[in-house]
Amino acid sequence: MRGVLGAAIVVCAVTTALPGAASADPAGVARTAGAEVGTGVGVERVSVAPDGTQSDGGSTGGAITTDGRRIVFSSSATNIAPGNAAGSERVYLRDEPSGQLKSVGSYPIASPVISGDGEYAAYWVLLFRDTKVKLAQWTAGSSIGLNCDALNCSQPSLSGDGRYVANVATIGRPSTSQRIDVWDWHANTKQELAWFDHTAPSRPSISGDGRFVAYQNGRTKDVFLWDRDHGSTSGPIEGAAKEATLVQISEDGSKLVYLSGTDTYVHDVSTGTAHLVPNVKGLAIDPTGNHLLYAPNDTAGPSLKLRDLTAGTDEIVSNQPASAGVDAVSAGGRDVVFQSTADDIVPGDTNGKSDVFVRRFS
């Protein structure tokens, strides 16, 4: 196994306690819906105000919950929620059945992620010269900062209930090394999984129950898998001779997606075998590990497709130029969230901005 690995439990603290989860109150909504040109499949623009007014600023990112109910994204719009007259970048949580929208954070420097149950979102922000991870809650509509004993904490990934946060801690100024941390903010503890003597991307991804954390050594191009139950780390999972880049682990912990060369591999955690999906760039996997969202390497066709890994069949997500990140697919591949600057995905898109959309397959 390459890289410097280690494990330790460190007592830490959260700046304040977040209140417990509660159900959202429904609110009326009018949303922009329609069918994308050439597909006839239902799609909805979600980066809009609760009354359906399109945003006057760009919206990006997009992550969706296991049940497809809630979506988190960031936007510089001034008109989709009160309190952003300056047009700064904000983090928004939307409850799809009700259309209720909440601003839960400010100044993200990367796309936010969401817990499987939709109660929490995580994002990272710049604090003077350093960065820190913030945790936002739907019920409270506010965020807190997780204490970081390194100068910079970044690249968060959330467990299904938001209790565990995996992130990268960068050491030194200028930064010379980094480690992978897993926070249990309920118990105020932190576990250190691995140390690297460089700052190439390590991008952790945590399973829904917090048992597994996948991460990469960005310099050696290796992917590793940590198992909390056994206190062990395995890898490189792609084998000793192959370079790999991590995409994510599924919420149920059954599948791990990585890229190698021009191909995508879906690694089965229980058997150690990998399913090859050739000539595509994997972007996300659904919580059950059975549906892969990918971008074909052939740019002449659709920009995003969803593959049923069991049946071997594909659904078109977007024929127009579009992109997506991790946690972009709900369970069973029912819903896919993505972003695009195209103005013909839904009727009435005249803002000339990047918008966030969700495609419903059922």
Side-chain angles (χ1 to χ4, degrees), residues 26-100:
V29 64
R31 295 191 292 273
T32 306
E36 182 175 347
V37 176
T39 68
V41 179
V43 63
E44 174 189 329
R45 182 166 49 160
V46 298
S47 54
V48 296
D51 64 358
T53 300
Q54 65 179 341
S55 65
D56 59 6
S59 301
T60 58
I64 196 166
T65 54
T66 302
D67 61 4
R69 176 185 176 96
R70 288 177 181 161
I71 295 171
V72 65
F73 62 94
S74 60
S75 180
S76 61
T78 66
N79 64 336
I80 62 175
N84 194 26
S88 60
E89 197 76 8
R90 295 286 181 91
V91 176
Y92 293 95
L93 267 171
R94 175 180 285 279
D95 182 76
E96 279 297 284
S98 69
Q100 191 176 6

Side-chain angles (χ1 to χ4, degrees), residues 58-312:
S59 301
T60 58
I64 196 166
T65 54
T66 302
D67 61 4
R69 176 185 176 96
R70 288 177 181 161
I71 295 171
V72 65
F73 62 94
S74 60
S75 180
S76 61
T78 66
N79 64 336
I80 62 175
N84 194 26
S88 60
E89 197 76 8
R90 295 286 181 91
V91 176
Y92 293 95
L93 267 171
R94 175 180 285 279
D95 182 76
E96 279 297 284
S98 69
Q100 191 176 6
L101 182 72
K102 286 185 179 181
S103 173
V104 294
S106 301
Y107 310 112
I109 55 178
S111 297
V113 295
I114 196 167
S115 61
D117 63 5
E119 183 63 18
Y120 297 98
Y123 61 101
W124 48 300
V125 299
L126 182 66
L127 181 66
F128 302 108
R129 291 188 295 171
D130 306 321
T131 61
K132 69 185 303 183
V133 172
K134 286 197 171 184
L135 192 66
Q137 189 184 37
W138 167 264
T139 303
S142 60
S143 63
I144 63 166
L146 296 179
N147 286 336
C148 178
D149 57 357
L151 292 177
N152 291 280
C153 285
S154 61
Q155 304 173 57
S157 178
L158 286 180
S159 65
D161 60 2
R163 173 173 179 166
Y164 299 102
V165 184
N167 65 261
V168 175
T170 306
I171 315 301
R173 183 182 285 124
S175 300
T176 57
S177 61
Q178 63 181 320
R179 67 173 187 258
I180 308 296
D181 291 344
V182 177
W183 299 72
D184 177 351
W185 65 271
H186 288 192
N188 291 335
T189 60
K190 180 192 68 181
Q191 194 147 11
E192 298 173 358
L193 307 188
W195 287 76
F196 298 117
D197 60 356
H198 59 80
T199 57
S202 49
R203 306 179 58 247
S205 178
I206 193 168
S207 63
D209 60 3
R211 173 182 172 179
F212 296 106
V213 177
Y215 59 90
Q216 68 183 30
N217 183 329
R219 186 168 66 185
T220 63
K221 305 294 185 183
D222 290 323
V223 174
F224 300 94
L225 183 64
W226 174 76
D227 183 342
R228 178 191 301 276
D229 284 1
H230 296 102
S232 61
T233 301
S234 57
I237 65 163
E238 74 280 1
K242 183 185 295 182
E243 291 188 347
T245 301
L246 175 67
V247 177
Q248 73 171 126
I249 192 168
S250 60
E251 185 174 352
D252 66 1
S254 67
K255 302 294 194 304
L256 192 161
V257 180
Y258 65 88
L259 310 178
S260 186
T262 59
D263 302 321
T264 294
Y265 292 83
V266 182
H267 175 87
D268 188 298
V269 172
S270 63
T271 66
T273 59
H275 175 79
L276 169 64
V277 186
N279 201 34
V280 305
K281 180 182 180 181
L283 301 172
I285 195 163
D286 88 298
T288 69
N290 292 319
H291 292 80
L292 175 73
L293 178 66
Y294 70 88
N297 291 338
D298 179 4
T299 58
S303 63
L304 295 176
K305 287 186 175 183
L306 185 71
R307 173 158 298 184
D308 183 323
L309 294 170
T310 302

